Amino acid sequence: MEPNYFRDVANAKYSKKHDEHIEYGTAGFRTKSNILNHVLYRMGLLAVLRSKAKKGAIGLMITASHNLEPDNGIKLVDPAGEMLEVSWETIATNLANVPDSELASMLIEISTKENIDLSVPATVIIGRDTRISSPILLNAALVGIKTLHGEVTDLGLVTTPQLHYIVVCTNTKGSYGDPTLQGYYLKLTAVFKSIRGNTINNGNYTSTLMLDAANGVGAIAVKELQRHLEGMLDIKLFNDGCGDLNYMCGADFVKVQQALPLNVPSERNVRCVSIDGDADRVVYFYIDKNDKFCLLDGDRIATLVASYFKELLETSGLVLQLGLVQTAYANGGSTDYISNVLKVPVACVQTGVKHLHKKALEFDIGIYFEANGHGTVIFKDTAKEIIKNYTKNKTHSATKKEAATKLRDVIDLINETVGDALSDMLLVETILHAKGWNIIEWQKSYNDLPNKQLKVRVKDRNVITTTNAERYCLTPVGLQNKIDEIVSKYPRGRSFVRPSGTEDIVRVYAECENSSDVDKLAIEVASLVY
Ligand code: 16G
Ligand code: ZN
């Protein structure tokens, strides 16, 4: 190792100015933006080491997703476009919290333990969301990267999924797509247009929708989509960046509050979409003829996609294993529908995209969605190859080949690296168009159980530990028995509590058959946690 390589890492401007312990959680570091400066600097340093360790470009995204404006955060993206490897999450946490005096020695220790060849060149691809604090934090990260002589590609304002896309394209030398924003828009929109053909409307499907962009970076991307899809998809954009980020709008607000976001007009039976502040989550909703708010969340998207893929597999005669991955938050109504009506295997894992992604890799075609609208579909390389060859095989009937061709094309519409609100939306639009469905028909496919989520502030959320994909409480001892007792009083009742990975709170989820009971059930369970 070059002895002087870490010589300049001490930097007074980015020294650690407080003692708050910060953790690399489910989606990276996320907290108040004014205590993140040294963390960003240090993650710049770490990204260089990670790039050298993996001999590939690393992504660094500055965002706090659906959190309000005062927060910010950072996450690192591995070369294949995936979340940072779990063992490096601990390394990141340790590096963020070490005293300044031990920074250099910890970097040396990481390099030695991870066997990093420091002569390997490093590249870090950076993106940021629209928060006021993002440019300052960007500078901190840039200084970190440059201190260790890493190359930087600064993408400016991008959605989180766009960053993931560009990282994977860069590392696969363009075979996944062109590593530019232009490449991203062209890839998604070209296939969207070609699948849709000349029929803009079909059956009860019409091409108009209202989109709430949470006043986030997604609004910029949506404007690009509007340009590319003019005449094909009529997107009416709301919360386009002029208002407060994620404030009473966006996918998280809509999902949790089950209410119309600010500024979106209450028009009956119109298909509406909400994305979150960094555009990796999407939910649909509409106001029905009785002025009731109706939500179509990640579970709905997953079931719609599963039913479409199942249909294409059956029609084409392709034999591939289709599976769906959910979390404990998935509505019991959706799980019943998937298992009993669609008859697609369904797995449940703990919250956080990395867990869903990993499980979905076990299927030839793995669909994963969190109820909050974060999800995608991933295909094994072998499955892609089988589908491609099938479309070329002259012995299959035209109908079979047509279904296989649709399957082949729709793969290009999907951002497999991570849940992508815009790619997911274009997929949903494609499926609704193919089925000739309006949003009411989509909703009729099954009934959600009434459900409620609550946040509880506690002294130490980590006293709650869970198992069985967060559906069962291990500690405090006795809590689970009390939950079971309460739940047993409610027909089709289900409830769980878990510590949040992104906020200093405990989350409570409850569902049951009668909407008049659900608030009571949630409050009863929440009262056990106080
Ligand atoms: C993060 C996760 C999301 C998860 C949420 C749970 C990623 C990219 N994002 O936003 O998947 O649903 O955290 O938050 O993994 P919670 O632990 O606060 O409930
Ligand atoms: Zn997000």
Side-chain angles (χ1 to χ4, degrees):
M1 185 194 303
E2 292 174 46
N4 290 331
Y5 184 67
F6 296 108
R7 191 186 48 199
D8 300 325
V9 296
N11 185 318
K13 186 166 177 203
Y14 297 110
S15 63
K16 191 164 166 280
K17 299 190 174 67
H18 60 86
D19 282 330
E20 205 158 313
H21 182 84
I22 302 183
E23 212 160 301
Y24 198 102
T26 342
F29 293 103
R30 197 178 294 181
T31 184
K32 294 282 163 271
S33 60
N34 58 2
I35 63 167
L36 275 170
N37 246 355
H38 75 278
V39 178
L40 268 285
Y41 170 70
R42 291 173 181 200
M43 287 308 108
L45 301 171
L46 189 67
V48 171
L49 293 190
R50 183 70 183 156
S51 175
K52 288 177 188 288
K54 296 299 284 181
K55 300 190 171 59
I58 291 295
L60 190 161
M61 182 71 196
I62 300 169
T63 180
S65 184
H66 57 276
N67 293 31
L68 294 174
E69 178 72 43
D71 289 358
N72 213 327
I74 174 178
K75 56 184 158 192
L76 298 181
V77 177
D78 267 350
E82 291 165 347
M83 307 281 172
L84 180 68
E85 191 183 305
V86 177
S87 63
W88 275 65
E89 290 183 4
T90 315
I91 295 176
T93 299
N94 292 342
L95 192 70
N97 292 291
V98 75
D100 289 304
S101 57
E102 291 166 33
L103 182 59
S105 57
M106 185 174 275
L107 289 165
I108 293 171
E109 192 188 315
I110 296 168
S111 309
T112 314
K113 268 202 187 139
E114 298 295 322
N115 221 348
I116 296 172
D117 177 355
L118 295 174
S119 64
V120 169
T123 303
V124 183
I125 304 174
I126 294 201
R128 66 176 203 276
D129 72 11
T130 52
R131 282 161 211 272
I132 297 167
S133 57
S134 291
I136 300 161
L137 296 176
L138 168 71
N139 278 336
L142 289 176
V143 173
I145 297 164
K146 286 177 187 155
T147 301
L148 293 188
H149 318 294
E151 285 289 320
V152 175
T153 306
D154 182 3
L155 301 175
L157 293 168
V158 284
T159 70
T160 297
Q162 286 175 333
L163 176 89
H164 282 257
Y165 167 87
I166 291 177
V167 168
V168 71
C169 292
T170 304
N171 287 308
T172 52
K173 310 249 173 310
S175 70
Y176 187 72
D178 182 26
T180 60
L181 285 178
Q182 202 51 23
Y184 170 89
Y185 293 118
L186 283 177
K187 183 174 179 194
L188 288 189
T189 56
V191 65
F192 179 82
K193 287 182 195 168
S194 79
I195 297 176
R196 187 155 291 209
N198 291 326
T199 46
I200 308 298
N201 298 320
N202 182 34
N204 290 328
Y205 174 89
T206 57
S207 68
T208 301
L209 59 94
M210 300 202 277
L211 192 150
D212 151 34
N215 290 313
V217 67
I220 300 170
V222 170
K223 285 176 192 160
E224 274 300 308
L225 285 187
Q226 280 175 318
R227 212 167 56 76
H228 283 274
L229 295 175
E230 208 182 336
M232 282 262 164
L233 193 61
D234 178 18
I235 308 174
K236 302 200 185 313
L237 179 60
F238 300 89
N239 299 322
D240 66 349
C242 296
D244 292 339
L245 177 66
N246 295 321
Y247 177 68
M248 293 186 73
C249 61
D252 193 63
F253 170 85
V254 169
K255 165 70 185 158
V256 176
Q257 302 301 326
Q258 304 192 23
L260 200 64
L262 223 54
N263 301 320
V264 174
S266 175
E267 284 179 31
R268 289 176 180 170
N269 297 336
V270 176
R271 203 165 65 250
C272 300
V273 178
S274 266
I275 63 176
D276 74 337
D278 64 338
D280 59 1
R281 289 189 192 182
V282 59
V283 296
Y284 275 73
F285 60 92
Y286 71 102
I287 302 296
D288 76 4
K289 62 179 191 317
N290 302 316
D291 291 326
K292 188 174 150 247
F293 173 88
C294 304
L295 177 71
L296 294 98
D297 61 6
D299 299 341
R300 290 275 171 188
I301 298 174
T303 49
L304 182 75
V305 174
S307 75
Y308 183 64
F309 277 68
K310 182 149 193 241
E311 210 174 286
L312 290 181
L313 286 174
E314 277 174 3
T315 312
S316 64
L318 272 159
V319 183
L320 291 170
Q321 198 201 7
L322 180 65
L324 205 153
V325 186
Q326 301 185 311
T327 71
Y329 288 105
N331 194 284
S334 76
T335 315
D336 285 352
Y337 174 71
I338 298 157
S339 316
N340 304 327
V341 181
L342 295 181
K343 300 198 187 310
V344 170
V346 54
C348 183
V349 299
Q350 85 187 77
T351 304
V353 171
K354 61 186 174 215
H355 304 295
L356 289 110
H357 193 97
K358 189 166 162 227
K359 187 73 191 171
L361 286 170
E362 291 176 13
F363 301 102
D364 291 330
I365 303 177
I367 302 167
Y368 70 85
F369 266 89
E370 293 188 308
N372 63 25
H374 197 145
T376 188
V377 187
I378 50 184
F379 302 83
K380 278 198 180 136
D381 284 343
T382 47
K384 285 185 184 167
E385 211 45 44
I386 289 169
I387 297 168
K388 227 187 256 168
N389 291 336
Y390 200 91
T391 60
K392 292 184 204 143
N393 190 321
K394 293 202 171 69
T395 59
H396 299 310
S397 71
T399 319
K400 286 185 170 183
K401 275 207 320 210
E402 195 189 320
T405 306
K406 275 191 192 152
L407 201 52
R408 183 199 66 195
D409 291 347
V410 100
I411 295 173
D412 263 347
L413 197 55
I414 294 166
N415 185 344
E416 287 181 74
T417 59
V418 74
D420 180 334
L422 300 177
S423 141
D424 289 340
M425 177 186 82
L426 294 181
L427 177 63
V428 168
E429 293 299 315
T430 298
I431 298 173
L432 293 179
H433 176 269
K435 289 180 180 279
W437 277 4
N438 59 24
I439 194 148
I440 304 159
E441 285 161 303
W442 176 16
Q443 208 206 13
K444 272 194 195 144
S445 49
Y446 68 89
N447 288 326
D448 267 328
L449 289 172
N451 60 92
K452 182 89 188 168
Q453 281 191 51
L454 295 176
K455 294 179 182 187
V456 186
R457 281 200 190 278
V458 293
K459 217 156 132 208
D460 178 10
R461 71 188 198 270
N462 294 320
V463 298
I464 295 187
T465 58
T466 62
T467 184
N468 191 10
E470 300 175 314
R471 290 171 294 186
Y472 190 92
C473 257
L474 284 173
T475 62
V477 175
L479 177 59
Q480 188 60 45
N481 285 344
K482 289 183 189 151
I483 297 175
D484 291 345
E485 222 171 89
I486 293 171
V487 167
S488 67
K489 296 188 295 189
Y490 296 86
R492 295 186 78 188
R494 187 170 71 88
S495 179
F496 64 88
V497 298
R498 57 173 281 275
S500 158
T502 61
E503 289 178 71
D504 194 12
I505 51 158
V506 171
R507 295 197 196 279
V508 176
Y509 175 87
E511 67 180 31
C512 62
E513 189 156 15
N514 302 317
S515 55
S516 54
D517 284 345
V518 73
D519 284 359
K520 194 159 160 267
L521 170 58
I523 290 167
E524 272 192 69
V525 173
S527 69
L528 298 175
V529 186
Y530 279 117

